[in-house]
């Protein structure tokens, strides 16, 4: 049986957020190639903080309580470290490969959710994660055979490290979304990341070129839309229900990589994607409660 209607809506909204985020990934990959991952994430975060800050004030939101603010800061630090590592790696590997390696994050997040949020890990979620992880392994095997250069290896390691930090940010997002609305979540995510990166700007920063303003603006808007969609979804469903939707990013990454960078998709990729989709379907299923007969009642 499918998940309850509220969980299903949250799953679909999260899926839309992941699709939008993957399009943003393509823009950020090009920006990272042109000016470095640091500058791409710095300017995206500054622009996002300004836009979300205006919206935050316009809708009458108040400065959060100290406990909520600590949560915003913790997730911002984890997410900021993750995105810099990810985009640094993505500039050195095909999009499908980089995104596939981040699929470690939802698997880690399932167990972090049990440890820190007290969620019960259902058998369907575990089975779905195992199926999806098999798909990741198939994709990784194909990509390693296709390109094993030093830069590709370093890029892959950066993406793996990013996935560990991203797993932590997913769990914090679940807690964050329960005490703050999507506008507040998006504002503080950008504000904390921008503040974290800004001190290094005198040495690493560079003003974007005119040609970069359009893709940078697109990345800012798409990032805000994605963060708000995921915050809305995580406020309405458990992390273990939503974590597997991250796997759908592979399909969008393969498509974006082909369109934007001419990256081809191997048979390994096709088989892995099918396993990933199957894992997502299995993971969101719920067991039908047993119904006692009148005679046995």
């Amino acid at each position: 049986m499918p998940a309850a209607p509220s969980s299903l809506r949250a799953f679909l909204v999260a899926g839309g957020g992941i699709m939008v985020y993957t399009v943003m990934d393509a823009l950020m990959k090009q920006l990272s190639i042109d000016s470095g991952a640091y500058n791409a994430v710095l300017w995206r975060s500054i622009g996002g903080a300004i836009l979300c800050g205006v919206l935050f004030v316009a809708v009458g939101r108040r400065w959060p309580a100290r406990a909520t603010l600590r949560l915003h800061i913790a997730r911002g630090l984890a997410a900021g470290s993750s995105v810099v590592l990810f985009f640094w790696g993505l500039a050195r590997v095909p999009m499908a490969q980089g995104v596939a390696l981040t699929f470690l994050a939802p698997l880690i997040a399932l167990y972090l959710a049990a440890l820190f949020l007290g969620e019960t890990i259902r058998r369907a979620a575990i089975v779905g994660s195992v199926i999806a992880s098999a798909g990741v392994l198939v994709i990784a095997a194909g990509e390693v055979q296709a390109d094993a250069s030093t830069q590709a290896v370093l890029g892959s390691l950066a993406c793996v490290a990013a996935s560990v930090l991203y797993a932590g940010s997913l769990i914090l997002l679940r807690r964050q979304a329960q005490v703050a609305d999507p506008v507040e979540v998006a504002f503080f995510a950008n504000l904390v990341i921008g503040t974290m990166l800004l001190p290094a700007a005198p040495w690493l920063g560079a003003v974007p070129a005119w040609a970069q303003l359009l893709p940078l603006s697109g990345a800012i808007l798409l990032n805000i839309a994605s963060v708000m969609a995921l915050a809305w979804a995580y406020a309405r469903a458990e992390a273990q229900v939503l974590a597997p939707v991250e796997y759908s990013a592979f399909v969008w990454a393969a498509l974006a990589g082909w369109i934007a960078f001419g990256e081809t998709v191997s048979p390994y990729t096709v088989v892995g994607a099918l396993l990933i989709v199957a894992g997502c379907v299995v993971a969101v299923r719920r067991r039908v409660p047993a119904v006692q007969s009148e005679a046995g009642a």
Side-chain angles (χ1 to χ4, degrees):
M1 292 289 292
S6 59
S7 295
L8 181 58
R9 283 195 296 270
F11 186 84
L12 293 175
V13 170
I18 293 299
M19 179 185 68
V20 169
Y21 195 87
T22 308
V23 177
M24 186 271 298
D25 281 347
L27 295 175
M28 289 293 288
K29 173 170 180 170
Q30 187 60 59
L31 290 168
S32 297
I33 292 172
D34 293 340
S35 59
Y38 170 84
N39 281 291
V41 177
L42 173 67
W43 291 109
R44 190 198 71 177
S45 300
I46 290 175
I50 293 172
L51 289 179
C52 290
V54 171
L55 183 60
F56 183 83
V57 173
V59 297
R61 297 292 183 268
R62 295 182 177 180
W63 196 257
R66 183 175 299 179
T68 303
L69 185 59
R70 285 198 298 265
L71 186 58
H72 288 322
I73 293 172
R75 180 172 178 266
L77 293 174
S81 302
S82 176
V83 295
V84 172
L85 281 169
F86 175 66
F87 290 123
W88 188 90
L90 196 64
R92 289 158 175 79
V93 299
M95 284 195 62
Q97 179 179 340
V99 169
L101 291 172
T102 66
F103 290 159
L104 292 169
L107 302 179
I108 298 169
L110 289 175
Y111 300 98
L112 290 179
L115 182 62
F116 294 109
L117 303 182
E119 295 182 5
T120 301
I121 301 295
R122 296 193 308 273
R123 181 177 300 177
I126 296 174
V127 172
S129 297
V130 170
I131 295 172
S133 65
V136 173
L137 291 175
V138 171
I139 293 164
E143 295 295 344
V144 167
Q145 289 185 3
D147 187 355
S149 68
T150 301
Q151 285 297 306
V153 171
L154 291 175
S156 296
L157 290 175
C159 290
V160 170
S163 73
V164 177
L165 291 166
Y166 185 49
S169 75
L170 284 176
I171 299 305
L172 291 170
L173 175 60
R174 171 64 172 161
R175 293 177 58 194
Q176 193 180 25
Q178 292 174 333
V179 296
D181 65 15
V183 173
E184 184 175 323
V185 170
F187 170 55
F188 279 97
N190 284 285
L191 180 63
V192 173
I193 294 173
T195 301
M196 179 183 75
L197 297 178
L198 196 58
W203 297 274
L204 302 177
V207 177
W210 284 106
Q212 295 177 323
L213 292 182
L214 183 58
L216 179 60
S217 299
I220 291 169
L221 293 174
L222 292 175
N223 179 60
I224 292 172
S226 175
V227 170
M228 293 180 67
L230 290 173
W232 186 94
Y234 271 84
R236 290 161 175 80
E238 292 181 346
Q240 65 174 319
V241 171
L242 298 179
V245 79
E246 299 282 336
Y247 299 130
S248 65
F250 175 78
V251 178
W252 305 117
L255 183 60
W258 175 64
I259 293 174
F261 303 101
E263 299 167 354
T264 58
V265 180
S266 70
Y268 289 94
T269 299
V270 175
V271 173
L274 292 174
L275 287 171
I276 288 168
V277 172
C280 288
V281 172
V282 171
V284 296
R285 295 181 63 191
R286 291 185 183 273
R287 179 184 298 176
V288 181
V291 179
Q292 292 183 321
S293 64
E294 292 182 2

